[in-house]
Amino acid sequence: MKTLTDEKLTIVGAAGMIGSNMAQTALMMGLSTEVCLYDPFAPALKGVAAEMYQSGFEYANITYTSDISEALRGAKYVVSSGGAARKAGMTREDLLKGNAEIAAQFGKDLRTYCPDVKHVVVIFNPADITGLITLLYSGLKPSQVSTLAALDSTRLQSALAQHFGIRQNLVRNCRTYGGHGEQMAVFASTTTVDNRPLLKLIGTPELTDEQWADIKQHVIQGGKEIIDLRGRSSFQSPSYLSIEMIRAAMGGEAFRWPAGTYVHTGKFNHIMMAMETEITKEGIFYKEVEGTSAENAELVRSYEHLSKLRDEVIGMGIIPEIHLWHTLNEHMK
């Protein structure tokens, strides 16, 4: 199989459900000939590695280790699901303190063991904050770190497709922006349904205001619904989407959805949030979004919520405030 790269791809948290699915997806896509699996839980990691070997991915050199220095050394691409999972009754934000500490250590490890890494995708929740912390401690450029946010947009697409009884690919340009959490901004103005603007359908018998409100709530609570149904948090969908992101960073097929990125615009400052983005071999880049006045207000509220979470982490001492403002300002020059 011809792969996108021969450079090392490391999956952090590979013994977990998200991480093991990421490993399988990356190998099925043929992203790299060098795939390293890392997890501190050695027995389960060995089991995942055995599964990958037994799947017959003969083209790839699959290695595994519980030594983070070995896992990251020489890595050019890293995807991390290495935080605690969300459990029943928890919001993404409930994970804040423990996963913030994990993100800080992850950033330090990146700086120490693979300072020449090209791109890092962070997907453990709350991803906007853990991604920001990783970025700060890694010393990488803002364009080199992205976070998973697309899951909210794909949930919007699937909910609309199910409501109208059509294929998902006929619902186009679904977008949620801001936080990957309870305060996300769900946009309707970008979306078309079978080539018809969604805004013109809302408030009609085809999609009443009440039905649209229910769909928005479904998108916002999509992760909770999966926990209620399956007894555990999502793992297949975040695995697939995060590997699509790293594929784009390797120069592969374009990533179709918004992603979390470091934003400093004057309106939204020193924050990691979902924007309209492009991921290429040069990194992740964003452009400012503009919706209806109501959508813009939702986005501002989402940013304000993320800012409060960021400031909580500053209050914990995990992000020293001076470090936040000065380090990233240097990278933005």
Side-chain angles (χ1 to χ4, degrees), residues 258-301:
T261 185
Y262 177 74
V263 177
H264 186 59
T265 66
K267 183 178 181 181
F268 307 122
N269 294 310
H270 299 298
I271 207 72
M272 186 80 75
M273 59 191 281
M275 296 289 276
E276 194 61 32
T277 52
E278 181 181 15
I279 303 175
T280 70
K281 291 181 77 171
E282 284 68 49
I284 181 169
F285 303 94
Y286 69 89
K287 61 181 181 181
E288 294 191 53
V289 299
E290 189 67 32
T292 66
S293 57
E295 289 169 343
N296 292 338
E298 280 188 23
L299 186 56
V300 169
R301 286 193 293 272

Side-chain angles (χ1 to χ4, degrees), residues 118-120 131-132 135-136 138-147 260-264 270-272 282-286 327-333:
K118 294 182 177 180
H119 201 88
V120 178
L132 178 63
L135 173 60
L136 283 165
S138 68
L140 297 172
K141 297 177 181 178
S143 61
Q144 293 177 277
V145 178
S146 58
T147 64
T261 185
Y262 177 74
V263 177
H264 186 59
H270 299 298
I271 207 72
M272 186 80 75
E282 284 68 49
I284 181 169
F285 303 94
Y286 69 89
T327 302
L328 287 176
N329 278 344
E330 288 300 311
H331 276 315
M332 295 295 284
K333 290 179 180 178

Side-chain angles (χ1 to χ4, degrees), residues 14-332:
M17 291 301 293
I18 292 177
S20 60
N21 272 262
M22 288 195 303
Q24 184 177 36
T25 302
L27 288 160
M28 290 175 69
M29 287 184 180
L31 296 194
S32 176
T33 55
E34 297 293 328
V35 177
C36 181
L37 312 179
Y38 166 79
D39 201 286
F41 186 37
L45 178 65
K46 185 176 181 180
V48 171
E51 290 259 51
M52 297 304 104
Y53 296 145
Q54 292 164 24
S55 294
F57 297 112
E58 298 174 328
Y59 70 89
N61 176 38
I62 305 168
T63 58
Y64 66 96
T65 180
S66 291
D67 180 341
I68 191 63
S69 64
E70 180 182 348
L72 293 180
R73 192 171 292 115
K76 299 300 183 184
Y77 301 96
V78 179
V79 187
S80 177
S81 65
R86 182 177 168 193
K87 297 178 182 178
M90 296 177 71
T91 66
R92 297 177 180 93
E93 289 78 8
D94 288 335
L95 296 169
L96 183 61
K97 188 176 189 301
N99 279 356
E101 292 171 345
I102 291 171
Q105 185 59 53
F106 178 50
K108 294 174 186 176
D109 290 337
L110 290 168
R111 180 191 287 265
T112 300
Y113 302 121
C114 58
D116 295 326
V117 69
K118 294 182 177 180
H119 201 88
V120 178
V121 176
V122 177
I123 70 170
F124 57 99
N125 283 314
D128 312 288
I129 301 302
T130 57
L132 178 63
I133 295 167
T134 298
L135 173 60
L136 283 165
Y137 279 96
S138 68
L140 297 172
K141 297 177 181 178
S143 61
Q144 293 177 277
V145 178
S146 58
T147 64
L148 180 66
L151 192 50
D152 304 315
S153 295
T154 58
R155 284 171 177 158
L156 176 59
Q157 184 194 48
S158 64
L160 287 168
Q162 289 166 24
H163 175 82
F164 287 100
I166 59 178
R167 295 192 311 274
Q168 279 190 222
N169 67 340
L170 295 176
V171 182
R172 297 188 175 92
N173 210 35
C174 289
R175 294 292 186 263
T176 67
Y177 298 117
H180 178 54
E182 308 301 315
Q183 299 294 324
M184 72 183 72
V186 181
F187 275 45
S189 59
T190 60
T191 304
T192 61
V193 177
D194 204 6
N195 295 318
R196 295 180 294 168
L198 178 60
L199 280 181
K200 291 187 177 181
L201 296 172
I202 296 171
T204 72
E206 290 187 82
L207 181 61
T208 66
D209 290 327
E210 292 77 12
Q211 289 170 328
W212 171 238
D214 288 344
I215 285 174
K216 288 178 67 175
Q217 190 62 20
H218 168 79
V219 172
I220 292 167
Q221 296 291 335
K224 177 182 180 300
E225 180 182 2
I226 288 174
I227 292 171
D228 291 343
L229 291 169
R230 301 190 72 174
R232 57 159 301 119
S233 60
S234 306
F235 60 91
Q236 289 164 311
S237 48
S239 302
Y240 182 76
L241 291 166
S242 60
I243 295 303
E244 280 200 327
M245 290 171 68
I246 208 69
R247 178 177 66 182
M250 291 174 170
E253 188 174 333
F255 189 63
R256 303 161 289 156
W257 307 100
T261 185
Y262 177 74
V263 177
H264 186 59
T265 66
K267 183 178 181 181
F268 307 122
N269 294 310
H270 299 298
I271 207 72
M272 186 80 75
M273 59 191 281
M275 296 289 276
E276 194 61 32
T277 52
E278 181 181 15
I279 303 175
T280 70
K281 291 181 77 171
E282 284 68 49
I284 181 169
F285 303 94
Y286 69 89
K287 61 181 181 181
E288 294 191 53
V289 299
E290 189 67 32
T292 66
S293 57
E295 289 169 343
N296 292 338
E298 280 188 23
L299 186 56
V300 169
R301 286 193 293 272
S302 185
Y303 163 70
E304 290 171 346
H305 175 70
L306 289 175
S307 297
K308 289 178 182 177
L309 292 179
R310 178 201 62 205
D311 292 345
E312 281 185 44
V313 177
I314 292 173
M316 296 171 191
I318 296 172
I319 300 177
E321 189 167 8
I322 191 170
H323 186 54
L324 174 67
W325 302 116
H326 291 283
T327 302
L328 287 176
N329 278 344
E330 288 300 311
H331 276 315
M332 295 295 284

